[in-house]
Amino acid sequence: MYAHASVGVIHVRPIMDMTDPEDISKMRKISRETFELVRKYGGSWSGEHGDGLVRSYLLPEFFGHQIYQALRDVKSLFDPQNLMNPGKIIDAQDIAENLRYGKGYLDKPMSEQFRYGENGGFHETVHLCSGVGECRKLTGTMCPSYHATLDEIHSTRGRANALRLAMSGQLDTTSLTDHEVLEALDLCLSCKACKSECPSNVDMAKLKSEVLQMKYDKKGISLRERFIAMSSNMSSMLSGHTATLINGIIKSSSGRWMMDRVLGIDKRRTLPLYARKNLKSELRNIEIQEGRDVVLFADTYLSHHDVGIGVRAFELLSGLGFKVTVFHSGCCQRPLISNGFLKKAKKKGTQTAEGLRSFMERGIPVVVCEPSCASALNDDLADLIEDQLLSALLKSQVFPIEQFLADQLNGQKLPLAVKSTLVHGHCHQKALYGTEDLLTILGGAEVSEIDSGCCGMAGAFGYEKEHYDISETIGSQRLFPAIRAHPESEIVACGFSCRHQIDHFTGRKSKHWLELIDWEKARDLKVV
């Protein structure tokens, strides 16, 4: 039982198994007895949320023949073909008919990689979707592909229904890896917005990754999928001395044409360029300050692409009085996790987590600049590795840099060297951490957040030839117009992929906020 105390509403939620015929019968008895109590005390059967499929079947008794017939007549006049909400209020089915589960419902057994936290497994996570349809709203971030297509199958609910029907054998498919199911999941950008915006917190990103791993196990891995899986290793190999040559190939029309033909990477895109000097080389001669310990996680993007951001993060933390240890030994496994290589991610991610263990056990915070890397470490990887003590440490000791600094600065602002700034929040940032900490620490300029959903890039998604157009459509709904409407403002985007998407489709150079700090004024800040 739970209640809205202010208006005296008490909800009674019987816990029953809707695959058990006895509980289905019990549900109908509870409904009938409740109905009799409502009539006895002169109450309203329509209740807080109308009639729908749950209460409509008793409306003839509640209103009586004459009034109910009048309702039928009105319905017939305005909807003679019974197209609008058939079976609701008028000529309704019994409460025990057409149940989502019902007698005989049975999920097929399957192996899974994630532990799914408190949900209990893949099946239970799918069943979290109650069908309320919040994912069909056109505000917020969830669900980017539904915003673009307005097709139910591309909503979180549509995908959850496809998974539920497939895993219980109700579709004309033999497994979760059949074409129809994979097609339903194809446009999921793994933005994790459903993890926070869905009332049931359905994490479709994890479910999609799980199904992709099943697909690889059953059907093998394509050349492009291998290319994506190797992206972190390639960054390590190709940055540095070979960067100039590789970058020239990446930027050339012939190089892009080859990527298009061989890998299906759209030739209109330019893949991220590699740094000529990696982060470890850039920091080699910088003196480490004494102070409280903090670990800066050197993700792939900081280490081998946007190295300057990593240097800025090190300098800022050092300037605030921290003794910074840069962790170079392992990737967060975001590319592997998001693209379904969960077995590899579990193995390699466990090694990364073990490398961080000694710091975390001593209570030393691990600070991460890239939102998707933070979410990989303390959300996905923490649910993937077997060692639950290590998992708990990842959840409690890994912080996005904005969250860490907001706590340490205690109301002080980081001064910016620009007049006006527009902030675009990364999807994982908005879903798991929020953007409040970022907005709190930025000062010295007019800072406002764009009311944007997903940028449409989502790691490898926006580079893939078949997804180029919808990637553009998603970003064009709110993000790109807002940027074009403010040509005088600097654009802040914490996400590596977000910056590439914004640059590509708007021609505006977006930056990480670390690149915009007024370093002279920042020297006056101290953390106690």
Side-chain angles (χ1 to χ4, degrees), residues 114 192 203 206 334 337 375-376 378-384:
F114 283 115
K192 285 190 177 288
D203 192 341
K206 282 186 179 177
R334 170 52 64 204
I337 292 170
S375 68
N378 67 13
D379 182 46
D380 292 316
L381 192 59
D383 197 38
L384 197 57

Side-chain angles (χ1 to χ4, degrees), residues 186-482:
D186 180 55
L187 296 189
C188 171
L189 280 75
S190 299
C191 69
K192 285 190 177 288
C194 47
K195 187 176 174 68
S196 61
E197 295 181 24
C198 166
S200 300
N201 307 123
V202 177
D203 192 341
M204 188 54 63
K206 282 186 179 177
L207 296 172
K208 178 182 179 179
S209 295
E210 196 79 71
V211 173
L212 288 177
Q213 179 65 76
M214 297 177 202
K215 186 194 82 164
Y216 302 145
D217 290 342
K218 186 174 182 179
K219 301 181 179 181
I221 305 170
S222 71
L223 182 60
R224 185 173 72 186
E225 289 162 347
R226 291 184 187 278
F227 177 80
I228 294 170
M230 293 171 57
S231 60
S232 179
N233 291 337
M234 287 192 297
S235 293
S236 178
M237 291 187 295
L238 300 179
S239 64
H241 298 303
T242 61
T244 300
L245 173 62
I246 299 301
N247 289 344
I249 296 172
I250 288 173
K251 291 187 288 185
S252 69
S253 58
S254 58
R256 297 200 309 273
W257 179 86
M258 182 65 68
M259 297 288 281
D260 188 295
R261 291 295 300 270
V262 176
L263 296 174
I265 304 295
D266 198 287
K267 62 186 176 184
R268 289 167 286 187
R269 294 280 195 184
T270 299
L271 289 173
L273 303 179
Y274 299 100
R276 292 186 178 91
K277 289 182 68 176
N278 62 32
L279 183 60
K280 184 179 286 189
S281 299
E282 290 285 4
L283 295 177
R284 185 167 290 145
N285 298 320
I286 298 180
E287 183 179 352
I288 298 176
Q289 304 294 320
E290 289 301 317
R292 279 188 292 153
D293 285 307
V294 67
V295 173
L296 175 62
F297 186 82
D299 61 64
T300 298
Y301 312 116
L302 292 189
S303 294
H304 306 294
H305 296 279
D306 286 342
V307 172
I309 297 173
V311 174
R312 290 297 197 186
F314 181 90
E315 292 175 340
L316 176 60
L317 292 168
S318 297
L320 291 173
F322 291 99
K323 179 182 178 181
V324 185
T325 300
V326 183
F327 182 81
H328 294 284
S329 306
C331 171
C332 69
Q333 310 306 316
R334 170 52 64 204
L336 291 178
I337 292 170
S338 290
N339 291 282
F341 298 97
L342 298 182
K343 293 179 179 178
K344 289 183 179 179
K346 180 184 290 189
K347 181 179 179 180
K348 294 184 176 182
T350 299
Q351 295 171 356
T352 299
E354 287 290 356
L356 292 168
R357 185 195 286 270
S358 63
F359 299 106
M360 297 189 295
E361 286 180 337
R362 287 179 283 153
I364 299 174
V366 178
V367 176
V368 187
C369 292
E370 169 64 34
S372 65
C373 295
S375 68
L377 289 169
N378 67 13
D379 182 46
D380 292 316
L381 192 59
D383 197 38
L384 197 57
I385 62 178
E386 299 294 339
D387 186 332
Q388 296 198 35
L389 178 58
L390 187 55
S391 171
L393 288 171
L394 288 173
K395 291 179 180 179
S396 64
Q397 293 298 119
V398 174
F399 304 92
I401 190 169
E402 300 84 11
Q403 184 182 34
F404 175 76
L405 289 175
D407 182 56
Q408 300 298 318
L409 289 171
N410 194 27
Q412 299 177 86
K413 300 284 188 180
L414 291 170
L416 299 184
V418 295
K419 293 181 179 180
S420 176
T421 305
L422 285 178
V423 174
H424 166 66
H426 185 283
C427 289
H428 290 194
Q429 183 180 27
K430 288 187 283 191
L432 302 183
Y433 315 110
T435 55
E436 293 81 6
D437 290 329
L438 173 58
L439 299 176
T440 296
I441 63 175
L442 296 185
E446 182 183 337
V447 179
S448 57
E449 184 176 8
I450 301 172
D451 178 23
S452 55
C454 178
C455 73
M457 178 60 93
F461 181 90
Y463 288 104
E464 295 166 352
K465 189 173 182 178
E466 68 273 21
H467 295 145
Y468 182 92
D469 291 338
I470 195 165
S471 174
E472 181 179 13
T473 299
I474 290 168
S476 297
Q477 300 215 311
R478 281 179 286 164
L479 177 58
F480 302 160

Side-chain angles (χ1 to χ4, degrees), residues 45-52 54-56 89:
W45 183 239
S46 292
E48 187 181 3
H49 298 291
D51 302 301
V54 176
R55 287 177 284 274
S56 292
I89 302 180

